[in-house]
Amino acid sequence: MEELTKRVSKTLSLTGDSVAEKRAEIRHYFHHTFNLYESLFDCINDEHAYYIRAEPLRHPLIFYFGHTAVFFINKLILGKYQHARVNERLESMFAIGVDEMSWDDLNSAHYDWPSVSETRHYRQQVRDIVDKLITDMPLTLPITPDSPAWLVLMGIEHERIHLETSSVIMRMLPLHYLDAHPRWSPCTETAAAPKNTLVALEGKTITLGKPKSADTYGWDNEYGCKTVTVAPFKVAKYLVSNGEFLQFVNAKGYQQPQWWTQEGQAWLAYSHAKMPRFWLLDNGEYFQRNLLNIMPLPLDWPVEVNYLEAKAFCNWQAALQKRHVRLPSEAEWCLLRQFIDSDQPNWEQAPGNINLEYYASSCPVNRFEQQGIFDIVGNVWQWTESPIDAYPGFKVHPLYDDFSTPTFDGQHNLFKGGSWISTGNEATRFARYAFRRHFFQHAGFRYIESDSAEVPVEAVNTYETDELVAQYLEFHYGSTYFEVPNYPKACVKALLSHTPELKQGRALDLGCSVGRASFELARHFDHVDGIDFSARFIQHGFQLKETAHTRFAIPTEGELVECKEVNLTELGLTELAEKIDFFQGDACNLKARFTNYDLIFCGNLIDRLYDPLLFLKDIHQRLTAKGYLVLTSPYTWLSEYTPKEKWLGGIKVNGENVTTLDGLTKVLSEHFHLVAKQDVPFVIRETKRKFQHTVAQMSVWQLK
Amino acid sequence: MEELTKRVSKTLSLTGDSVAEKRAEIRHYFHHTFNLYESLFDCINDEHAYYIRAEPLRHPLIFYFGHTAVFFINKLILGKYQHARVNERLESMFAIGVDEMSWDDLNSAHYDWPSVSETRHYRQQVRDIVDKLITDMPLTLPITPDSPAWLVLMGIEHERIHLETSSVIMRMLPLHYLDAHPRWSPCTETAAAPKNTLVALEGKTITLGKPKSADTYGWDNEYGCKTVTVAPFKVAKYLVSNGEFLQFVNAKGYQQPQWWTQEGQAWLAYSHAKMPRFWLLDNGEYFQRNLLNIMPLPLDWPVEVNYLEAKAFCNWQAALQKRHVRLPSEAEWCLLRQFIDSDQPNWEQAPGNINLEYYASSCPVNRFEQQGIFDIVGNVWQWTESPIDAYPGFKVHPLYDDFSTPTFDGQHNLFKGGSWISTGNEATRFARYAFRRHFFQHAGFRYIESDSAEVPVEAVNTYETDELVAQYLEFHYGSTYFEVPNYPKACVKALLSHTPELKQGRALDLGCSVGRASFELARHFDHVDGIDFSARFIQHGFQLKETAHTRFAIPTEGELVECKEVNLTELGLTELAEKIDFFQGDACNLKARFTNYDLIFCGNLIDRLYDPLLFLKDIHQRLTAKGYLVLTSPYTWLSEYTPKEKWLGGIKVNGENVTTLDGLTKVLSEHFHLVAKQDVPFVIRETKRKFQHTVAQMSVWQLK
């Protein structure tokens, strides 16, 4: 049994010479995972335990027992490999609610859960279907993300994740519901906690992200490529042990809000926690709850805490030592990971307490050493300072489009390294899992000490979901539709065609929105200022200038969305960022410093101002001699933006029709010549099937 | 002087052999008109009179004195023949407010009117500008509506209209402000009223409307072509004289609401009228106010009343005689007009008291006779039962787009025939003028007697100004944009390509909106029912079926609109109308009678239903064996139409994306096969520059 586990708890290679062998290997991996998962539930000795909400923020175990089977069917249906539902009621009930809820977002719905035997029967039905699919499915090597085999692997790796999460929930069940199980034997070794020390590491530039060419299954968030320069730091030799953490508990750390982040304080108020979740205090003596047993607190085992507790410990230590003590960032942890050459599935023997290769529990923190540092992988997951974010180049897997993207919200922190029960993909080098910061897994931490107070963690590049802002990101940086060229680009091209002598100098992009025209102008001008009234829009200009990336979600149909990314490098705009400054500002009340421009471009601005005349009457003062003012607009006057008495045109004046071009001519002709006008079409996507298709008029005015 | 007046009060021929002569003729016509207009104002002996609001529903005379000159400048600027304003203040003040206000819509704005001499000076400036333009303007013959000469004629004919309306206002001024004037001498003949009798006329089919090829200037509403069959009727030999109308006054007709329409009663309540507007009662004796004199009521002159009074008189007569006495319709009057062969400008001598050829007042009603009927033209205008409406083929003149269209509202009745002061275009056969029914001009009436109680007047085809409905009329029947084919037509073409065996039988167009797909389906099916939930939309389907025409106004820019007409004949759809029935109905609660269809087409319906599932689950019952259900939709689900829990797709179900096609398949597959699907694009115009461009999905379902 041990041998089998070792082999089949390793994820598959996607390549191979023999399709038949690969098919057998997949089948084996599938059944082993199904069996292993069920063997965990075999520890439960009373069906009542399936229905207890051991962790109030999560569903009871019956949900997880059914869920991993339902997942197979749902993905196969979505992929059109399965056409009929097996059991519509169970497939609805067991589908959603996996991610833990927040304590301030409790779901108190009552569920009419099915019986264990019904669920077990359902699991068998699914097992047969997947087995048959493995036999029948077309298979070519290597397996790629659009292969049916990829979907089977997705189901398997998904179940392996829940092997771990279910084991955590079982640690919260009253122990009398659980029996010992030969497959799930804990470590029994324990001793005094070793004294932790710091090891100095050199800084290094490293690359994060799993290559597309990698030989194993990966979740979408693992792919992409990000280069990070890591400054030198010192790292704790051991994971923080129960013994080391006990000092914090004894120092009344849980009662002193100064060590806790604001979020940590809120969680303390909710949870009334006074010590780690799996500790028990009985008559002044501490114990630890493992999966299937309770033992006196093993002082040399890693402490298991959430991020908030780990962070509080670090803050306490930092204050005590007057040093910059904190958790590692994702990159710092990855630098550490480079101390191990091997990776699952290729290692012979796991380089730590991981992959179920040693124990069904933690073990002492001083057992697995690499180059003077212990437990780089395994034992318990290690919280990092980094909220999870996608790497540049990230693409959602179309059949599981909400695996990662909902966690790119700044509220889910990454942990790394895996625990004793992390198997399959979870135990690979590139695995990236992230949970809410208050969440418990078999997770602890290792601290580091840095020279700098600054935590090298970037703000998460969250998905812009404001529909209008997302529309404009797509409009400026996204796909073209109906073969209408990119509008800001076309506008800049058109205006330059009318102003041949304008080659360098200073340009102002007024009403720049999310900023594309500023970048296009920067190809030709020495300096561009981009100004927009709305911080909601211009923040993306800022972000693109700073990070070259931004993300957004646009509707496809109904409530469904598509996640997209802007990448300045792909657009060939990266080098231009330094020529641009973005500012929030009001075109009708512009600061005096915005002056001395050779060109002022106002794209779709004039019919969105609250007082266009106020804007136009002095704009000539901001131009250099013979400078240009270029306006484009579809003249869509709306009283919600511009009071009707301020409309420049589209009105009757003294009973006669006055167009906006008439109105502009009247206002501007004192200082400007109209040198050209032309139509420039644009398309704004509202849904996958619905677009605004508009023809703006560009007018080019030169100072007299 | 008399000779000159006769000649130049006739409108110009648009054709000719000599451009130089035509230029001279235009110049002569212009100056004569300007002179004649000023000579009317020369009758005023006290400048104070220019500022009196003699008619509270209209501006004082100073406005009209300036207005006709301003009109020239405004139209020349609009036509780009004049670039600078002459006097911006006057041109703003004298521009609008021509149409009389309603008594329930009084404009009490205070105006800071200019002096008479300033206005006179301004008139001289305009005279010089127009004179120079006549010299310089390019001129080719014939003159067409896009010639600059047409604009000059427009200004001239406009001034001639105001020659008449200003003379009416002057009849309301206290007499002591006015001096006699040799050019404006009234008739002095008067006698007892002749006894009126009826003359029988045969019915006839006649054609209304001025041909495009006609040789004289016309206002836009005169053109077009309408064929009307007029039933036989009897017509009064004379206009109703003061003597004849006096019987109504003496019979207390003004005190008896039963003779008055509801609108008439409201006007009576406002005006407190007890007799015609230009009568005076002094010590039990009646007098009549003419332009420049007061005389004992001339009993044999035509009475001058508004439509409401004329109609009350007819109702009174009808009751007395127990016959169908009423005013003529426009067509009935036009039939009468055929008794005169000649027309201005070609007549040698006017066939009535018109064109200023005889008097500067009315004259006895028994003076000008044609084939036993008197005053077919001239003396006073003759009110008709017909609210003014455009003829089929009507096109707005782009430089005076609100001359006619605002009067197509059912509240402006036509009068015909002209008065003693109707000159130029006003005195031509095709002239059509319409005013609010309470309005006074030099206007009276002639009654007719009909065999039928029905008044042969069609409801006015008012311009649909509901923006959404107008959008859909343009969408179904209007222009194409971005080269995207007409959508209802493309849908029918596409669905027939997927259903080759469907050639005849019965079709249902569910959610037919303004009905185009119903017409397109009727090319192929024996019968089509068109059903829509909204009466606002389907009324246009009804109207097109009944009259083959409908009209709408769509926005161009801001508040400016473009007036358009749907003409089934031009679309080749007229013959199909009889195969179609339109009904108001609810797709989710359809009457049982709507069944037994070979095809049910639902264009852009499914995502606008309040309960699409309710609609879909039984729709198979309404089809014949192997019948087809065809759905097209862009799947733009919006909770304002469909509560989110009723969306068929565009939602997450059990955590997985479900498209609308998935949802449709699930609902329909019990009874239907999906036989085809394809994309069909469409474009809906919002403004001249802004469009919705959408790609609908068509799915074709055949009954199993």
Side-chain angles (χ1 to χ4, degrees):
Chain A
M1 174 123 186
E2 191 72 3
E3 273 316 293
L4 174 72
T5 304
K6 276 192 197 164
R7 183 155 58 83
V8 294
S9 281
K10 291 180 181 173
T11 196
L12 281 182
S13 165
L14 302 175
T15 55
D17 299 325
S18 160
V19 165
E21 276 175 29
K22 190 59 65 180
R23 214 183 279 277
E25 214 180 327
I26 295 169
R27 188 191 319 281
H28 203 141
Y29 191 36
F30 165 67
H31 285 291
H32 177 267
T33 306
F34 233 67
N35 290 342
L36 185 64
Y37 194 64
E38 289 176 0
S39 86
L40 182 69
F41 285 81
D42 285 346
C43 301
I44 300 172
N45 60 24
D46 181 344
E47 293 197 351
H48 177 61
Y50 280 89
Y51 302 93
I52 295 172
R53 207 154 178 171
E55 163 56 63
L57 299 183
R58 309 203 69 171
H59 281 315
L61 282 162
I62 187 70
F63 170 85
Y64 295 94
F65 192 49
H67 171 69
T68 57
V70 162
F71 182 90
F72 275 103
I73 298 302
N74 282 346
K75 293 305 172 194
L76 293 179
I77 286 178
L78 204 62
K80 318 269 187 215
Y81 299 110
Q82 165 81 11
H83 299 292
R85 297 226 151 260
V86 179
N87 183 323
E88 191 148 359
R89 188 173 66 91
L90 296 197
E91 283 158 8
S92 165
M93 205 176 286
F94 288 148
I96 44 176
V98 169
D99 195 19
E100 87 290 358
M101 293 155 269
S102 166
W103 67 86
D104 45 10
D105 176 32
L106 275 177
N107 183 342
S108 58
H110 288 284
Y111 293 87
D112 183 21
W113 299 112
S115 71
V116 174
S117 71
E118 190 185 350
T119 308
R120 201 179 298 278
H121 172 71
Y122 175 79
R123 287 186 60 88
Q124 186 58 46
Q125 290 178 296
V126 173
R127 188 193 282 259
D128 295 344
I129 286 167
V130 176
D131 184 271
K132 186 164 182 316
L133 176 73
I134 293 169
T135 305
D136 298 344
M137 68 186 179
L139 181 62
T140 50
L141 297 178
I143 298 166
T144 57
D146 51 358
S147 314
W150 189 275
L151 267 199
V152 174
L153 290 179
M154 183 185 280
I156 294 171
E157 296 298 351
H158 172 260
E159 188 155 44
R160 287 194 175 266
I161 295 174
H162 283 292
L163 178 70
E164 173 147 3
T165 64
S166 298
S167 76
V168 175
I169 295 174
M170 283 167 70
R171 283 180 80 179
M172 299 172 178
L173 269 187
L175 194 59
H176 64 85
Y177 288 121
L178 296 162
D179 285 338
H181 189 293
R183 165 60 282 192
W184 303 103
S185 305
C187 175
T188 53
E189 300 164 34
T190 172
K195 182 173 163 43
N196 216 345
T197 55
L198 292 167
V199 179
L201 299 187
E202 285 176 16
K204 198 171 170 185
T205 295
I206 62 169
T207 298
L208 310 184
K210 181 168 184 158
K212 268 187 194 165
S213 58
D215 186 34
T216 54
Y217 175 90
W219 298 103
D220 52 10
N221 69 53
E222 298 173 32
Y223 296 97
C225 178
K226 185 176 181 182
T227 301
V228 184
T229 298
V230 180
F233 64 99
K234 291 178 188 158
V235 67
K237 184 175 176 184
Y238 304 116
L239 296 178
V240 173
S241 64
N242 282 321
E244 191 170 9
F245 197 83
L246 185 58
Q247 299 169 39
F248 178 64
V249 175
N250 288 340
K252 305 275 179 213
Y254 278 78
Q255 286 77 43
Q256 295 170 346
Q258 68 267 35
W259 313 129
W260 298 78
T261 60
Q262 200 166 3
E263 187 182 343
Q265 293 175 32
W267 173 75
L268 273 183
Y270 159 77
S271 66
H272 306 295
K274 297 200 165 46
M275 58 183 165
R277 177 69 175 80
F278 296 110
W279 288 13
L280 306 163
L281 182 59
D282 185 16
N283 249 335
E285 216 173 328
Y286 286 104
F287 294 83
Q288 174 163 309
R289 168 61 188 268
N290 298 320
L291 176 62
L292 302 174
N293 70 323
I294 291 176
M295 66 195 295
L297 187 68
L299 294 173
D300 57 346
W301 289 21
V303 71
E304 288 163 287
V305 290
N306 63 25
Y307 166 90
L308 301 171
E309 294 167 293
K311 185 70 184 168
F313 177 92
C314 290
N315 289 341
W316 172 71
Q317 274 294 309
L320 275 184
Q321 299 179 25
K322 303 199 191 323
R323 289 183 181 151
H324 303 303
V325 178
R326 58 170 170 79
L327 301 171
S329 68
E330 179 185 18
E332 287 162 340
W333 184 90
C334 288
L335 188 148
L336 204 62
R337 179 62 178 79
Q338 294 188 341
F339 287 23
I340 305 175
D341 288 334
S342 66
D343 194 15
Q344 201 241 54
N346 301 319
W347 66 46
E348 273 304 307
Q349 181 79 29
N353 178 19
I354 192 168
N355 207 37
L356 286 173
E357 292 190 29
Y358 300 93
Y359 307 109
S361 72
S362 301
C363 72
V365 297
N366 54 3
R367 171 104 185 245
F368 294 95
E369 183 254 344
Q370 322 278 344
Q371 302 186 42
I373 300 166
F374 290 77
D375 293 334
I376 292 176
V377 301
N379 224 355
V380 293
W381 290 94
Q382 301 166 47
W383 284 105
T384 73
E385 292 284 5
S386 303
I388 190 171
D389 196 2
Y391 297 131
F394 166 75
K395 297 263 181 300
V396 161
H397 192 284
L399 296 181
Y400 199 173
D401 67 358
D402 58 358
F403 179 78
S404 300
T405 54
T407 69
F408 299 162
D409 63 355
Q411 301 191 41
H412 289 72
N413 271 43
L414 276 166
F415 52 36
K416 296 289 291 183
S419 78
W420 52 270
I421 197 175
S422 299
T423 62
N425 166 276
E426 285 192 297
T428 62
R429 173 193 298 265
F430 294 111
R432 302 176 86 211
Y433 290 88
F435 291 91
R436 294 285 291 265
R437 289 184 279 264
H438 62 270
F439 193 55
F440 292 109
Q441 284 288 323
H442 309 300
F445 66 109
R446 172 194 309 281
Y447 52 83
I448 68 153
E449 187 188 310
S450 161
D451 285 344
S452 156
E454 195 190 351
V455 183
V457 168
E458 289 164 19
V460 172
N461 202 338
T462 56
Y463 278 82
E464 178 60 75
T465 54
D466 177 316
E467 214 166 282
L468 196 62
V469 179
Q471 257 180 19
Y472 270 76
L473 284 165
E474 176 71 2
F475 175 32
H476 279 207
Y477 300 98
S479 310
T480 60
Y481 300 97
F482 306 122
E483 297 175 8
V484 174
N486 177 281
Y487 181 63
K489 217 168 146 175
C491 283
V492 171
K493 189 175 160 198
L495 75 87
L496 289 170
S497 78
H498 297 304
T499 56
E501 67 273 32
L502 264 185
K503 289 230 164 56
Q504 297 185 315
R506 285 162 49 79
L508 173 61
D509 179 12
L510 199 46
C512 66
S513 178
V514 294
R516 178 63 181 271
S518 298
F519 284 98
E520 295 299 329
L521 287 168
R523 294 186 197 271
H524 303 271
F525 288 86
D526 297 324
H527 181 78
V528 180
D529 286 332
I531 299 182
D532 200 83
F533 191 72
S534 168
R536 284 156 68 211
F537 288 84
I538 206 168
Q539 61 170 324
H540 289 281
F542 278 117
Q543 184 172 326
L544 283 165
K545 176 181 155 68
E546 295 301 322
T547 71
H549 293 90
T550 195
R551 299 207 188 95
F552 57 100
I554 48 174
T556 54
E557 188 182 316
E559 66 170 359
L560 306 181
V561 299
E562 180 180 338
C563 292
K564 301 193 77 166
E565 184 183 60
V566 182
N567 181 331
L568 281 197
T569 312
E570 283 173 11
L571 296 168
L573 297 171
T574 319
E575 305 303 314
L576 303 167
E578 62 182 21
K579 295 164 104 186
I580 306 171
D581 284 323
F582 287 109
F583 303 92
Q584 191 278 332
D586 176 359
C588 298
N589 186 21
L590 212 52
K591 290 201 175 73
R593 57 170 289 204
F594 296 112
T595 188
N596 206 29
Y597 296 105
D598 302 289
L599 169 79
I600 298 177
F601 171 63
C602 308
N604 295 7
L605 174 75
I606 200 76
D607 55 359
R608 289 297 170 267
L609 296 178
Y610 59 83
D611 192 345
L613 186 59
L614 183 65
F615 162 64
L616 289 173
K617 73 180 174 48
D618 295 328
I619 194 68
H620 61 280
Q621 300 171 354
R622 299 177 188 272
L623 283 168
T624 54
K626 299 286 174 189
Y628 286 94
L629 172 68
V630 178
L631 309 173
T632 65
S633 170
Y635 309 140
T636 314
W637 297 101
L638 292 171
S639 52
E640 60 211 85
Y641 296 104
T642 316
K644 193 161 165 220
E645 65 272 18
K646 303 280 189 187
W647 294 6
L648 291 179
I651 46 173
K652 295 237 174 205
V653 176
N654 297 333
E656 303 295 350
N657 294 344
V658 174
T659 67
T660 306
L661 190 63
D662 295 337
L664 287 172
T665 305
K666 189 175 168 194
V667 176
L668 293 175
S669 52
E670 186 184 346
H671 298 288
F672 292 92
H673 292 293
L674 175 60
V675 296
K677 58 190 201 311
Q678 80 168 81
D679 284 347
V680 188
F682 64 85
V683 173
I684 296 178
R685 168 176 158 163
E686 293 183 359
T687 73
K688 199 174 151 190
R689 293 183 169 275
K690 186 164 186 288
F691 305 82
Q692 297 166 30
H693 193 158
T694 309
V695 183
Q697 183 172 57
M698 170 178 285
S699 56
V700 181
W701 308 82
Q702 185 171 26
L703 263 191
K704 284 179 181 172
Chain B
M1 175 128 187
E2 190 73 0
E3 274 314 294
L4 174 72
T5 303
K6 277 192 197 167
R7 183 156 59 84
V8 294
S9 282
K10 292 181 181 172
T11 195
L12 282 182
S13 165
L14 302 176
T15 54
D17 299 323
S18 160
V19 165
E21 275 175 29
K22 190 59 65 180
R23 213 183 280 276
E25 214 180 328
I26 294 170
R27 188 192 317 281
H28 204 145
Y29 191 36
F30 164 67
H31 283 294
H32 178 268
T33 306
F34 232 67
N35 291 342
L36 185 63
Y37 193 64
E38 289 176 1
S39 85
L40 182 68
F41 286 80
D42 286 345
C43 301
I44 300 174
N45 61 25
D46 181 344
E47 292 197 354
H48 178 60
Y50 280 89
Y51 302 93
I52 295 172
R53 209 152 176 171
E55 163 55 64
L57 299 181
R58 307 201 72 172
H59 281 316
L61 282 162
I62 188 70
F63 171 85
Y64 295 95
F65 191 49
H67 172 68
T68 56
V70 163
F71 182 90
F72 275 103
I73 297 302
N74 282 345
K75 293 305 172 193
L76 293 180
I77 286 178
L78 205 61
K80 317 268 188 219
Y81 299 111
Q82 165 81 11
H83 299 292
R85 296 225 151 262
V86 179
N87 183 324
E88 193 148 359
R89 187 173 67 92
L90 295 198
E91 282 157 8
S92 167
M93 206 176 285
F94 288 149
I96 45 175
V98 169
D99 195 17
E100 85 291 359
M101 293 155 268
S102 166
W103 68 87
D104 45 10
D105 178 31
L106 275 176
N107 183 339
S108 58
H110 287 287
Y111 293 86
D112 183 20
W113 299 112
S115 71
V116 175
S117 70
E118 190 185 353
T119 309
R120 200 180 299 275
H121 172 70
Y122 175 78
R123 287 185 60 88
Q124 185 59 45
Q125 290 177 298
V126 173
R127 188 193 282 257
D128 295 344
I129 286 167
V130 177
D131 184 270
K132 185 164 184 316
L133 176 74
I134 293 170
T135 304
D136 297 344
M137 69 185 179
L139 180 62
T140 51
L141 298 178
I143 297 166
T144 58
D146 51 358
S147 315
W150 190 275
L151 268 197
V152 174
L153 290 178
M154 182 184 280
I156 294 171
E157 296 297 350
H158 172 260
E159 188 154 44
R160 288 195 174 265
I161 294 174
H162 283 292
L163 178 71
E164 173 146 6
T165 63
S166 297
S167 75
V168 175
I169 295 174
M170 283 166 69
R171 282 181 81 180
M172 299 171 179
L173 268 187
L175 195 59
H176 64 83
Y177 287 121
L178 297 163
D179 286 338
H181 188 294
R183 165 61 281 197
W184 303 103
S185 304
C187 174
T188 53
E189 300 164 35
T190 173
K195 184 174 161 46
N196 216 343
T197 55
L198 292 166
V199 178
L201 299 188
E202 286 177 14
K204 196 170 171 187
T205 295
I206 62 169
T207 298
L208 311 183
K210 180 167 185 159
K212 269 188 193 165
S213 59
D215 186 32
T216 53
Y217 175 90
W219 297 103
D220 52 9
N221 69 55
E222 298 173 32
Y223 296 97
C225 178
K226 186 176 182 181
T227 302
V228 183
T229 297
V230 180
F233 62 99
K234 292 179 187 156
V235 67
K237 184 176 174 183
Y238 304 116
L239 295 179
V240 173
S241 64
N242 282 322
E244 191 170 11
F245 197 83
L246 185 58
Q247 300 169 38
F248 178 63
V249 174
N250 288 339
K252 305 273 179 216
Y254 278 78
Q255 286 77 44
Q256 296 171 347
Q258 67 266 36
W259 314 127
W260 298 77
T261 60
Q262 199 165 4
E263 188 181 341
Q265 293 175 31
W267 174 76
L268 273 183
Y270 160 76
S271 67
H272 305 293
K274 297 200 167 48
M275 58 183 163
R277 178 68 175 79
F278 296 111
W279 289 12
L280 308 162
L281 182 58
D282 186 16
N283 249 334
E285 215 172 327
Y286 286 103
F287 294 82
Q288 174 163 311
R289 167 62 188 266
N290 297 319
L291 176 62
L292 301 174
N293 69 322
I294 291 176
M295 66 195 296
L297 188 68
L299 295 172
D300 58 347
W301 288 22
V303 70
E304 290 163 286
V305 291
N306 64 26
Y307 167 89
L308 301 170
E309 294 166 293
K311 185 69 184 167
F313 176 91
C314 290
N315 289 341
W316 173 70
Q317 274 294 309
L320 275 183
Q321 300 179 25
K322 303 200 195 316
R323 289 184 182 151
H324 303 304
V325 177
R326 58 169 169 81
L327 301 172
S329 68
E330 179 185 18
E332 287 162 341
W333 185 88
C334 289
L335 188 147
L336 205 61
R337 179 63 178 76
Q338 295 188 343
F339 287 23
I340 305 175
D341 287 335
S342 66
D343 195 13
Q344 202 242 53
N346 301 318
W347 64 47
E348 273 303 308
Q349 180 78 29
N353 179 18
I354 192 168
N355 207 36
L356 285 174
E357 292 191 26
Y358 299 93
Y359 306 108
S361 72
S362 301
C363 71
V365 296
N366 53 3
R367 170 104 186 246
F368 295 92
E369 183 253 344
Q370 320 279 342
Q371 302 185 42
I373 299 167
F374 291 77
D375 292 334
I376 292 177
V377 302
N379 223 355
V380 294
W381 291 94
Q382 301 167 47
W383 284 104
T384 75
E385 292 283 5
S386 303
I388 191 172
D389 197 1
Y391 297 132
F394 167 74
K395 297 265 181 298
V396 161
H397 192 284
L399 296 182
Y400 199 173
D401 68 357
D402 57 358
F403 179 78
S404 301
T405 54
T407 68
F408 300 163
D409 63 355
Q411 302 191 43
H412 289 72
N413 270 44
L414 275 167
F415 53 36
K416 296 288 291 184
S419 78
W420 52 271
I421 197 175
S422 299
T423 62
N425 166 277
E426 284 192 297
T428 63
R429 174 193 297 266
F430 293 111
R432 302 174 87 212
Y433 290 88
F435 290 92
R436 293 285 291 264
R437 288 183 280 265
H438 62 270
F439 194 55
F440 292 110
Q441 284 289 325
H442 309 300
F445 66 110
R446 172 194 308 281
Y447 53 83
I448 69 154
E449 188 187 310
S450 162
D451 284 345
S452 156
E454 196 190 351
V455 182
V457 167
E458 290 165 20
V460 172
N461 203 338
T462 56
Y463 278 81
E464 178 61 77
T465 54
D466 178 317
E467 214 166 284
L468 197 62
V469 179
Q471 256 178 22
Y472 271 74
L473 284 165
E474 175 72 3
F475 175 32
H476 278 209
Y477 300 99
S479 311
T480 59
Y481 300 98
F482 305 122
E483 296 174 9
V484 174
N486 178 280
Y487 181 65
K489 215 169 149 177
C491 283
V492 171
K493 189 175 161 199
L495 74 86
L496 289 170
S497 77
H498 298 302
T499 57
E501 68 271 35
L502 265 186
K503 290 237 162 52
Q504 297 186 316
R506 285 164 48 79
L508 172 62
D509 179 12
L510 200 46
C512 66
S513 179
V514 294
R516 177 63 182 270
S518 298
F519 284 98
E520 296 298 329
L521 287 167
R523 295 185 196 271
H524 304 271
F525 289 86
D526 297 323
H527 181 78
V528 180
D529 286 332
I531 298 182
D532 201 84
F533 191 73
S534 168
R536 285 157 65 212
F537 289 83
I538 206 167
Q539 61 168 324
H540 289 280
F542 279 115
Q543 183 172 327
L544 283 166
K545 176 181 155 68
E546 296 301 323
T547 71
H549 295 91
T550 196
R551 299 206 188 96
F552 57 100
I554 47 172
T556 54
E557 188 183 315
E559 66 171 358
L560 306 181
V561 299
E562 179 180 343
C563 292
K564 301 191 77 165
E565 183 184 58
V566 182
N567 181 333
L568 280 198
T569 312
E570 283 174 12
L571 296 168
L573 298 170
T574 320
E575 305 303 313
L576 304 166
E578 62 183 18
K579 297 165 103 185
I580 306 170
D581 284 324
F582 287 108
F583 302 92
Q584 191 277 333
D586 176 1
C588 298
N589 187 20
L590 212 51
K591 291 201 173 71
R593 57 171 288 205
F594 296 112
T595 189
N596 206 31
Y597 296 104
D598 303 288
L599 168 79
I600 298 178
F601 170 64
C602 307
N604 296 7
L605 174 75
I606 200 76
D607 56 359
R608 289 296 171 270
L609 296 177
Y610 58 83
D611 192 346
L613 186 59
L614 184 64
F615 160 65
L616 288 173
K617 73 182 176 45
D618 295 329
I619 194 69
H620 61 280
Q621 300 171 356
R622 299 178 188 270
L623 284 167
T624 54
K626 300 285 173 190
Y628 287 94
L629 172 67
V630 178
L631 309 173
T632 64
S633 170
Y635 309 140
T636 314
W637 297 101
L638 293 171
S639 51
E640 60 210 85
Y641 297 104
T642 317
K644 194 164 165 217
E645 64 273 19
K646 302 283 189 187
W647 295 4
L648 291 178
I651 45 173
K652 295 236 173 205
V653 175
N654 296 334
E656 303 295 351
N657 295 343
V658 174
T659 67
T660 306
L661 190 64
D662 294 338
L664 287 171
T665 305
K666 189 174 169 195
V667 177
L668 291 175
S669 51
E670 187 184 346
H671 298 288
F672 292 92
H673 292 293
L674 176 61
V675 296
K677 58 187 202 312
Q678 80 168 81
D679 284 347
V680 188
F682 65 85
V683 173
I684 296 179
R685 169 176 156 164
E686 294 183 358
T687 72
K688 197 173 153 193
R689 293 183 168 274
K690 186 164 186 286
F691 305 82
Q692 297 167 31
H693 193 159
T694 309
V695 183
Q697 183 172 59
M698 169 178 284
S699 56
V700 181
W701 307 83
Q702 185 171 26
L703 263 191
K704 285 179 180 171

